[in-house]
Structures are given as structure tokens and as C-alpha cells.
Amino acid sequence: LKAGLNGERLEQKGKRQLEWAEAHMPVLMLIRRELEPERPLAGLRIGAVLHVTKETGVLVRTLKSLGASVTLAGSNPLSTQDEIVAALSQEGIHVFARHAETQEEYYSGLDAVIQSSPQIVMDDGADLHALIHAKKSEISVIGGTEETTTGVNRLRAMEREGVLRYPVIAVNDAHTKHLFDNRYGTGQSTVDGILRATNLLLAGKTCVVAGYGWVGRGIAARLRGMGAKVIVTETNPVKALEAAMEGFDVRRMEEAAASGDIFVTATGNRGIIREEHFALMKDGAVLANSGHFDVEVDVKTLRGVSKGSRVIRENLEEFTLMDGRRLYLIAEGRLANLGAAEGHPSEVMDMSFSNQALSVVHLKRFKMSPKVHSVPPEIDLRIASLKLEAMGIKIDSMTESQEEYTGSWEFGT
Ligand code: ADE
């Protein structure tokens, strides 16, 4: 059964995808309906660099409904869904992105966002924030948001060096973002990317997950849930201990390299899987990355130590090493969940993007200092409550006596 007619226009396909996402993003839709009458973003120019997916489409439509004009570029050359570009462009949103765009096109998208003189900038990975800061000229920006761990780390480095020129709300750090999006969203969508690219059986395989942050935790848990034996590698002793007590086999990469059937990196750091590891790997090992940038698997070296490569399936490149062993790389070593699948499901992006929308409203309403700020806790809690409500879950509230008990130091043994 195929949705739509053959030869149907791309934008119609995109509109149906947006409709599907909207039906699964109840919190963001409620925020849209609630704030639409007062148009809190009236006249505001927003520049956004986000993965151009159906969920981002729902966010951008929401910002527009609240009065903003939005210029959007893609956050990764492989993550753009062209039908969403077509649908949004038709609705008056300026989109500069194309699936499988070149590096030059990627940067010209960012440039187009900067040329739109945005007052608020929304970013995923901080390339846009970095580029704006690299320009010495006057800027129109009053504030920004940042979606992901890597981006927040970069912005904190800018703050430490005293170069940050406007306030940025670290959306990633909201509880209703990283505890859900990074863990369950990346957990599921990474497995989705591995399966779409390879269609291999996970049960009984040995999977090596590099990094046990929220993303690594999610990926390791989901791979285990599918029957894989999971090895975790870490540099942080506390995280390594946590992984060990969760029952994962914790080892060094040089030890794990020879055992793994499937490798997934999620560290946010570079050179995690490199030449000495390629040398130890089994014939047929699969390599995937779920960190923001394509620096975790050393693809350049892999190319250099291979006698040839070919694309064997969509988003899967086979490298033949000098000794004849073959290694398989998913989505060029870029984000496997967005390059080989569709990114996180709508239900989880519902919370991440509700944080984005309410953070933008907050930036417009309140003057903030040029620092990295947390999402206001009342926004975080409200999103959790709305999500519970949408899921039909009711929770208890404390009695007066309990409120008194938790707020007091006098009650003891
Ligand atoms: N990052 C991860 N998944 C995403 C999605 N579905 N949309 C936008 N950004 C994402």
C-alpha cells in the first residue's frame, strides 16, 4: 500500500508527514493553540539551523503561528527530508536545505540564515552560533537556543573564554529534553538507523557502545532489549561504574574492537574508533555513529587503509581493507539515526521542541545576560505535566502535612 499517488507533488507528501507528526506532538500543539491568540512572537525574525524533519516542521509552523517569520537551514547534510522542505517553503517559511547537500551548500544555508538578520537564533550543534560569533560586525541577535549536548558544550567554552555575545538557553539541559530525547529518542532512532541500513539481526550479536552519557545509555538499553550482548566503553569512571552495575560488559576499545559485530559511537569526542581498532576488527563489522559530528569514527583513515569501497545498500558503504577484511560504515559516519532513519519519533520531539518554543517566547519577553542559561524550571515542569496529561496519566499531589514534612528540618528519629 503506497500513501498518495505516483507522481504526487513532494509538498503534498510533506504535508501528510506534518499532519502525522502534529497528531503525535500534543504538547507543542497545545502550546500553539494556547499562545496563538496573543501572538507573543509578532514581528520577530527567527533564524534556525535544525534537522529539517517533520517534527522540526511542526516547531517552525508553531513559531510562525505565534507571529514569527522563520528562516531555516539544515543542521546536517544528510538529515534533511526534502518533502518537508517543499511543504514548509509553500507555507512561506524560508528553507535553505536539501538532502545530501554538499559542504558548500550546508554553509551557504547557514549564511542565508545569517543574511536574514535574525533576532533569535535556534541551533543544533552550535555551528550557527559559532559562525555568528566569528563575524566581527554588529549583530541583530538578542538571544538564542541550543538543542544538543555538543552545542551546549561549545557554548559553555565560548562563555568561559568571555566571547559569548548574547544569552543562549540550553534546551538540551532541560529534564524534559535530555532524559527523554537523548535517551529514548536516540536509543530507538539509532537502532532504527542500524536496521534500515543493514537489516541485520541484533539478537545474539555483540554490540559495542562507546560513551555512556544519556545517549549511550539509551542505545545500550535498546540494543540489549533486542537481544544483543552489549559492551560499553567509557573514559569517565563514574559512568563506567554505572554501566557495569547496569550489567553491561565494560572494556577498553582496544579490547572490545576484536569482539564487536556492531559498533556505535556516542561520546561527542573525536577519534573514538581509529586505525588501531580497524586493524583488530572482525570481517563484516558494522560501524555507526550517533554523536552530533562525524568525527567519532575516523572515516578519513578508514578510507586511507582500505584498498577500495563501494555502496552496498542505501546508507551503507563497504570498505575492503588491505588484508581483505570488510568493514561497513553507516551514513558516512554521520548521525546514523538521522542519516539512515528519520531521527527521533514525534512523541519525544514533542517535549524537546516545546522547550524550544517556550524558550523563544521567554527570550523575547525577558532581558537576559549574555550567558548560557537553563530552561526556566517552571517551563520544564509544565511540559512534563502536559505530557503526562496527554498520555492520560494522573499523578498524586502532596497533602498539606507532606508539604510541611518535606519543607522542615525538625522532624527526625
Ligand atoms: N534530532 C533528532 N531527531 C530529530 C527529529 N526527529 N527532528 C529534529 N531534530 C532531531
Side-chain angles (χ1 to χ4, degrees):
L1 195 64
K2 278 238 180 249
L5 301 168
N6 277 344
E8 139 186 86
R9 304 234 309 265
L10 208 52
E11 74 214 35
Q12 284 157 343
K13 195 170 160 205
K15 281 193 193 304
R16 278 203 317 277
Q17 294 300 316
L18 289 164
E19 198 185 308
W20 177 248
E22 283 182 349
H24 295 90
M25 300 178 81
V27 176
L28 186 57
M29 294 303 283
L30 186 123
I31 290 167
R32 186 194 292 183
R33 279 196 302 278
E34 208 177 85
L35 294 181
E36 213 167 1
E38 48 173 296
R39 288 174 63 81
L41 306 181
L44 191 72
R45 290 186 306 278
I46 296 179
V49 171
L50 297 167
H51 301 294
V52 185
T53 63
K54 56 191 184 308
E55 291 75 25
T56 296
V58 179
L59 171 63
V60 167
R61 275 181 166 179
T62 302
L63 298 170
K64 188 167 174 263
S65 300
L66 307 194
S69 70
V70 185
T71 304
L72 173 67
S75 168
N76 184 293
L78 289 187
S79 63
T80 298
Q81 296 164 8
D82 288 335
E83 65 272 23
I84 304 300
V85 176
L88 294 178
S89 302
Q90 212 219 5
E91 293 175 15
I93 292 153
H94 313 285
V95 192
F96 297 87
R98 179 178 79 81
H99 182 75
E101 64 194 4
T102 61
Q103 187 91 345
E104 292 73 50
E105 284 172 315
Y106 170 78
Y107 277 104
S108 78
L110 265 59
D111 211 45
V113 170
I114 295 174
Q115 290 305 321
S116 71
S117 305
Q119 293 154 301
I120 298 280
V121 287
M122 305 172 76
D123 204 357
D124 185 330
D127 273 352
L128 178 62
H129 292 307
L131 209 60
I132 291 172
H133 281 78
K135 296 201 183 294
K136 298 277 170 276
S137 53
E138 249 334 274
I139 51 172
S140 49
V141 182
I142 58 164
T145 64
E146 174 50 52
E147 172 75 5
T148 202
T149 317
T150 297
V152 170
N153 289 342
R154 291 176 83 185
L155 286 156
R156 287 202 198 286
M158 289 161 80
E159 183 183 342
R160 272 198 308 278
E161 285 174 26
V163 298
L164 191 61
R165 292 171 73 182
Y166 50 76
V168 181
I169 298 187
V171 166
N172 179 73
D173 295 357
H175 290 105
T176 48
K177 199 282 183 182
H178 69 273
L179 293 179
F180 302 90
D181 171 312
N182 300 24
R183 182 166 35 169
Y184 307 118
T186 320
Q188 177 166 319
S189 59
T190 299
V191 172
D192 190 8
I194 294 169
L195 295 182
R196 289 195 205 195
T198 66
N199 196 30
L200 290 173
L201 183 71
L202 291 176
K205 290 272 185 332
T206 297
C207 295
V208 180
V209 177
Y212 201 68
W214 290 110
V215 167
R217 286 177 178 104
I219 296 169
R222 292 300 176 256
L223 289 170
R224 175 156 72 182
M226 298 284 280
K229 289 170 275 188
V230 179
I231 300 174
V232 169
T233 71
E234 244 306 333
T235 54
N236 177 310
V238 177
K239 290 181 184 170
L241 198 54
E242 191 188 343
M245 293 213 183
E246 263 303 312
F248 294 111
D249 190 357
V250 179
R251 296 194 217 167
R252 288 155 70 167
M253 184 59 86
E254 67 187 49
E255 237 191 300
S259 320
D261 299 302
I262 299 174
F263 293 79
V264 189
T265 52
T267 68
N269 212 333
R270 64 183 167 198
I272 303 303
I273 300 183
R274 46 185 192 266
E275 189 169 359
E276 67 250 44
H277 306 127
F278 302 140
L280 297 168
M281 285 178 181
K282 292 194 225 174
D283 179 34
V286 173
L287 313 175
N289 166 52
S290 253
H292 185 82
F293 289 116
D294 58 346
V295 294
E296 307 213 12
V297 178
D298 185 354
V299 180
K300 196 164 164 238
T301 300
L302 178 58
R303 234 172 255 297
V305 297
S306 298
K307 57 183 176 198
S309 84
R310 61 176 176 154
V311 176
I312 188 153
R313 283 166 59 87
E314 200 174 340
N315 294 312
L316 193 66
E317 190 171 359
E318 177 189 73
F319 290 85
T320 305
L321 305 181
M322 301 304 173
D323 61 7
R325 280 176 303 121
R326 290 152 303 176
L327 300 181
Y328 293 88
L329 180 68
I330 295 181
E332 302 170 11
R334 298 186 190 275
L335 287 157
N337 61 333
L338 281 142
E342 291 173 64
H344 305 348
S346 305
E347 294 99 317
V348 87
M349 295 312 294
D350 188 23
M351 292 191 279
S352 311
F353 284 168
S354 293
N355 276 296
Q356 283 282 8
L358 292 179
S359 293
V360 170
V361 172
H362 190 86
L363 280 164
K364 168 99 189 308
R365 278 193 184 140
F366 301 99
K367 191 162 169 43
M368 299 171 85
S369 55
K371 291 200 164 91
V372 178
H373 296 264
S374 303
V375 170
E378 60 278 13
I379 290 183
D380 211 354
L381 280 175
R382 177 152 185 257
I383 291 170
S385 300
L386 290 174
K387 191 69 180 175
L388 282 169
E389 206 177 304
M391 292 167 80
I393 297 170
K394 291 191 170 39
I395 60 168
D396 289 321
S397 39
M398 281 196 264
T399 63
E400 251 180 57
S401 151
Q402 287 168 338
E403 296 270 12
E404 188 197 356
Y405 187 83
T406 54
S408 157
W409 57 270
E410 284 150 326
F411 304 111
T413 314

